[in-house]
Amino acid sequence: MPPQKKEIFKSLENWAEDNLLTLLKPVEKCWQPQDFLPEPESDGFYEQVKELRERARELPDDYFVVLVGDMITEEALPTYQTMINTLDGGIRDETGASLTPWAIWTRAWTAEENRHGDLLNKYLYLSGRVDMKHIEKTIQYLIGSGMVRFLPCLSGTVNSDTVCTTPHPHSHTSTRERVDYLKFLLESEFL
């Protein structure tokens, strides 16, 4: 990264600490994927899965294409975080536990987004509507192939760009109330 860009990120550290880090919720106040899925320890687990599968059967295939695409994107988070951690300037997190605002934000953003992938993965698995083994192999290929930075000058904004563009596909998949286990994920994050 050119020295001028390093200076920009360094000069924005106080802003990031005051404006970005304050947006992070404590883990205990965040929803978790299991909040929206059948309870495996409950006596009614099998009935809940049966209900989920019946509702999922009514959804058009197009919904599942979008949900699988969203899940694959979310499951590739290790690749995005690795790429961000390689950036020069104030963004690099060489130890994986740096206390700079940018490093804290990147790790917290990854943890936040990881919940979306977990929920989508479990929902799609329980729905019985998709070939999970094929999807899992696709994710393994994607993460294993790494990521190339074509525009290094823009890489510093990859996480905010992803957050800004994620609502678009989610908003198109959340228009039907039949997806009640996913409704929170697909709507409330972006209202």
Side-chain angles (χ1 to χ4, degrees):
M1 182 179 292
Q4 304 90 327
K5 289 192 178 164
K6 287 181 188 180
E7 286 179 33
I8 291 170
F9 279 104
K10 192 74 175 153
S11 72
L12 289 171
E13 279 189 359
N14 287 337
W15 177 88
E17 191 166 354
D18 295 340
N19 295 284
L20 287 180
L21 299 186
T22 59
L23 298 173
L24 301 173
K25 291 181 189 175
V27 172
E28 296 305 319
K29 292 188 177 190
C30 292
W31 62 266
Q32 297 301 323
Q34 195 55 51
D35 295 338
F36 304 96
L37 295 165
E39 293 290 336
E41 64 277 352
S42 78
D43 291 336
F45 176 69
Y46 295 111
E47 291 77 27
Q48 293 171 21
V49 171
K50 185 178 175 188
E51 273 181 41
L52 182 147
R53 291 178 77 119
E54 286 170 4
R55 286 191 303 274
R57 225 184 338 263
E58 298 174 17
L59 294 173
D61 290 344
D62 295 356
Y63 274 41
F64 286 93
V65 170
V66 173
L67 291 174
V68 167
D70 285 350
M71 185 196 76
I72 289 171
T73 301
E74 301 286 1
E75 296 280 6
L77 285 169
T79 305
Y80 311 145
Q81 184 174 7
T82 300
M83 193 270 307
I84 292 168
N85 284 348
T86 66
L87 297 175
D88 293 328
I91 298 174
R92 179 170 277 177
D93 184 359
E94 293 180 20
T95 66
S98 170
L99 296 178
T100 67
W102 296 113
I104 293 168
W105 173 259
T106 300
R107 289 191 309 270
W109 168 77
T110 302
E112 153 68 27
E113 291 295 314
N114 185 64
R115 296 176 307 150
H116 302 176
D118 285 350
L119 177 56
L120 287 165
N121 187 310
K122 291 172 184 173
Y123 175 82
L124 290 169
Y125 171 77
L126 292 173
S127 78
R129 291 278 310 268
V130 298
D131 180 348
M132 288 303 294
K133 186 169 184 171
H134 187 78
I135 293 167
E136 290 161 350
K137 286 168 56 177
T138 300
I139 293 165
Q140 187 173 358
Y141 279 124
L142 174 65
I143 294 172
S145 67
M147 179 181 276
V148 176
R149 283 191 289 168
F150 291 107
L151 299 172
C153 61
L154 298 177
S155 297
T157 58
V158 69
N159 57 1
S160 53
D161 286 347
T162 304
V163 169
C164 290
T165 57
T166 299
H168 181 71
H170 284 324
S171 67
H172 289 292
T173 59
S174 64
T175 56
R176 296 189 188 194
E177 290 187 10
R178 293 183 287 181
V179 195
D180 51 348
Y181 285 121
L182 293 175
K183 190 172 181 179
F184 179 83
L185 168 67
L186 303 176
E187 293 179 352
S188 68
E189 286 288 310
F190 312 108
L191 290 179

